[in-house]
């Protein structure tokens, strides 16, 4: 069965102009039905649409913001902020030891920006990181005095607007931009300048086949030193765990559907390592790959890419659970 997420089908953008295009509801229903997903087709058939049969874009945006708000609970329960900090701290230490000044961290496909807001609010990468200088004081441009710039980027304008609103409400030193994961580092969809470090959570499984390779290839800019992309670990328990969590904690049927499908179509370690080789100049690594982790406890695990000179210091900090092989 071809596994599809409804949230991927209800939004469409022109690949060149990045303008949003109308989406006929029947087309979404038909794709899900053709994939054998009768439940997904039933959920899609209830989405509000205009008299011409195209999905109401405002209703779609409201629904996706609501679903991502529920999804934030998962990030809280899985302690996504702590997990990524445990990898980013030694990485930033190594960068600073190598003479890097300002470090720009971009969360690709940030959704409501939970990770970026968490990093900004906690100061986890701030003055406590070795090598940091200056007080932990945010600058007016969303940078921190210690030289870490936190940016969230997503293709979905409604999610970006909500992420920015939430950050403003707490006066957090971070910012959010609309951008395309395939045009980062100077692309024409608001991707801005290349990041020093790209991160993401729960995004990789949305990209399949050549798109997954292209996602990593977009990290090849000379200014980019590393990436850390967390996604659902493929374990025998992952689909059951996702089913239990989403049934228990997600109210929206669309969110439940997509969450359960996500776990079933997550990429295995070998696929991620292979695709990550498309990021030129970066060495692909896995942290806690399946063979080195407890399948009962593992939910998310990252694929990492680093400039060759960062591999040694990172391995010294993280130990043998950082590896270049899946099997
Ligand atoms: C499952 S959500 C994860 C959101 C967030 N990272 C989190 O952990 O809650 C996947 C996100 O990827 C975004 N996305 C999908 N394709 C994208 C692209 N080509 N460029 C940028 N963002 C994209 C979606 O808009 C969505 O917000």
């Amino acid at each position: 069965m071809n596994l599809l997420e409804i949230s991927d089908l209800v939004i469409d953008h022109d690949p060149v102009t990045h303008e949003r295009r109308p989406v006929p509801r029947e087309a979404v229903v038909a794709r899900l039905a053709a994939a054998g997903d009768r439940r997904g087709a039933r959920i899609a058939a209830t989405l509000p649409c205009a008299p011409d049969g195209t999905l109401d874009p405002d209703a779609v945006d409201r629904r996706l913001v609501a679903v991502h708000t529920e999804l934030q609970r998962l990030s809280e329960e899985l302690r996504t902020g702590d997990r990524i900090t445990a990898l980013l701290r030694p990485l930033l230490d190594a960068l600073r030891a190598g003479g890097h000044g300002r470090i720009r961290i971009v969360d690709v496909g940030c959704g409501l920006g939970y990770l970026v807001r968490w990093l900004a609010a906690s100061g986890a990468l701030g003055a406590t990181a070795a090598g940091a200088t200056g007080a932990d004081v945010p600058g007016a441009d969303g940078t921190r005095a210690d030289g870490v710039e936190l940016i969230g980027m997503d293709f979905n304008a409604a999610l970006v607007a909500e992420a920015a609103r939430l950050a403003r409400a707490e006066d957090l030193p971070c910012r959010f931009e609309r951008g395309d994961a395939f045009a980062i580092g100077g692309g024409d969809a608001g991707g801005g300048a290349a990041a020093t470090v790209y991160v993401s959570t729960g995004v990789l499984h949305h990209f399949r086949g050549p798109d997954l390779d292209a996602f990593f290839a977009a990290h090849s800019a000379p200014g980019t030193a590393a990436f850390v992309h967390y996604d659902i670990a493929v374990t025998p328990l992952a689909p059951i765990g996702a089913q239990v969590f989403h049934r228990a904690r997600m109210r929206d049927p669309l969110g439940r559907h997509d969450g359960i499908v996500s776990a079933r179509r997550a990429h295995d370690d070998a696929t991620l390592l292979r695709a990550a080789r498309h990021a030129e100049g970066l060495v692909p690594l896995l942290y806690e790959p399946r063979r080195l982790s407890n399948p009962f406890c593992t939910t998310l695990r990252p694929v990492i890419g680093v400039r060759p000179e960062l591999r040694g210091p990172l391995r010294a900090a993280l130990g043998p659970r950082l590896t270049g092989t899946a099997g």
Side-chain angles (χ1 to χ4, degrees):
M1 179 166 138
N2 183 13
L3 295 165
L4 301 171
E5 287 179 61
I6 302 169
S7 54
D8 285 341
L9 304 178
V10 294
I11 299 250
D12 187 30
H13 292 103
D14 184 294
V16 179
T17 65
H18 302 289
E19 287 297 311
R20 191 160 170 179
R21 299 193 288 210
V23 177
R25 185 171 67 185
E26 260 325 297
V28 177
V29 173
R31 279 194 67 186
L32 289 158
D37 184 352
R38 284 191 296 184
R39 190 167 157 267
R42 274 200 306 277
I43 295 167
T46 65
L47 295 172
C49 60
D52 68 356
T54 57
L55 291 171
D56 174 347
D58 295 333
V60 166
D61 285 349
R62 281 194 300 275
R63 188 77 176 262
L64 292 184
V65 168
V67 165
H68 279 80
T69 303
E70 286 198 341
L71 189 62
Q72 179 166 310
R73 284 191 208 143
L74 185 59
S75 304
E76 288 164 4
E77 291 190 17
L78 295 178
R79 298 176 40 249
T80 305
D82 288 314
R83 279 169 194 264
I84 212 153
T85 298
L87 297 188
L88 287 181
R89 272 209 178 136
L91 190 57
L92 266 52
D93 289 348
L95 283 168
R96 287 177 176 131
H100 263 79
R102 174 162 299 188
I103 292 166
R104 170 178 290 190
I105 299 177
V106 174
D107 181 6
V108 187
C110 65
L112 295 183
Y114 171 78
L115 174 64
V116 164
R117 287 185 286 110
W118 188 96
L119 290 171
S122 66
L125 302 178
T128 52
T133 55
D136 190 6
V137 178
D141 60 351
T143 63
R144 306 173 67 90
D146 57 17
V148 177
E149 194 181 359
L150 295 167
I151 301 172
M153 188 268 270
D154 200 287
F155 211 41
N156 183 315
L159 297 179
V160 169
E162 180 64 2
R165 186 188 72 77
L166 293 168
R168 265 196 316 276
E170 290 190 73
D171 202 15
L172 297 175
C174 57
R175 68 172 196 272
F176 294 92
E177 299 174 351
R178 181 161 178 254
D180 182 0
F182 299 98
I184 47 182
D188 55 358
T196 322
V197 183
Y198 287 106
V199 299
S200 73
T201 56
V203 172
L204 294 178
H205 64 270
H206 288 274
F207 307 135
R208 324 293 304 175
D211 283 351
L212 187 65
D213 298 346
F215 173 80
F216 286 104
H219 292 19
S220 305
T224 296
F227 60 79
V228 177
H229 292 300
Y230 264 96
D231 204 5
I232 304 158
V234 177
T235 67
L237 287 177
I240 304 163
Q243 184 102 14
V244 169
F245 175 86
H246 286 88
R247 289 251 165 251
R249 303 304 305 273
M250 304 284 281
R251 278 181 288 264
D252 189 306
L254 191 157
R256 277 184 176 175
H257 173 275
D258 283 7
I260 292 166
V261 170
S262 299
R264 292 179 60 202
R265 67 178 191 152
H267 297 298
D268 62 28
D269 290 347
T271 302
L272 288 181
L273 266 188
R274 230 181 357 255
R277 292 199 185 103
H278 288 80
E280 264 172 51
L282 301 177
V283 182
L285 299 164
L286 290 166
Y287 185 59
E288 297 182 334
R290 167 123 189 248
R291 74 188 158 87
L292 296 179
S293 58
N294 180 343
F296 291 97
C297 305
T298 311
T299 46
L300 302 174
R301 57 88 185 83
V303 60
I304 299 172
V306 290
R307 295 262 158 222
E309 64 275 18
L310 296 171
R311 182 184 185 158
L314 201 59
R315 168 100 182 185
L318 298 175
R321 285 177 299 165
L322 184 73
T323 163
T325 61

